[in-house]
Amino acid sequence: MNIVVNGEQHEAEEPLTVAHLLQKLDLHSERVAVEINLHILDRGDFPTWKLHDGDHIEILSFIGGGSAP
């Protein structure tokens, strides 16, 4: 199946869940937000949400930081 991740085409084997995709991309699920076809997923859905051919996935990573007081 073909999916688009952050604007880039990827070929993936079915079945593929969001959790498996994050694992393949070496991303930690507790540090990202995932949007599929303009729908923001709850983190609890990552293990069961199956991706389909043509899905558009946006993955946003959270980065900590800040300035000293």
Side-chain angles (χ1 to χ4, degrees), residues 22-40:
L22 294 175
Q23 199 171 33
K24 287 178 182 269
L25 296 174
D26 199 28
L27 296 171
H28 299 281
S29 62
E30 59 276 352
R31 296 185 195 156
V32 298
V34 177
E35 177 188 277
I36 299 180
N37 303 324
L38 303 178
H39 173 80
I40 298 173

Side-chain angles (χ1 to χ4, degrees), residues 19-67:
H20 287 121
L21 174 64
L22 294 175
Q23 199 171 33
K24 287 178 182 269
L25 296 174
D26 199 28
L27 296 171
H28 299 281
S29 62
E30 59 276 352
R31 296 185 195 156
V32 298
V34 177
E35 177 188 277
I36 299 180
N37 303 324
L38 303 178
H39 173 80
I40 298 173
L41 293 184
D42 288 332
R43 192 168 280 110
D45 291 334
F46 291 1
T48 57
W49 191 283
K50 293 182 182 170
L51 299 172
H52 300 93
D53 190 48
D55 278 348
H56 286 256
I57 301 109
E58 293 293 326
I59 302 172
L60 303 171
S61 296
F62 299 110
I63 300 173
S67 58

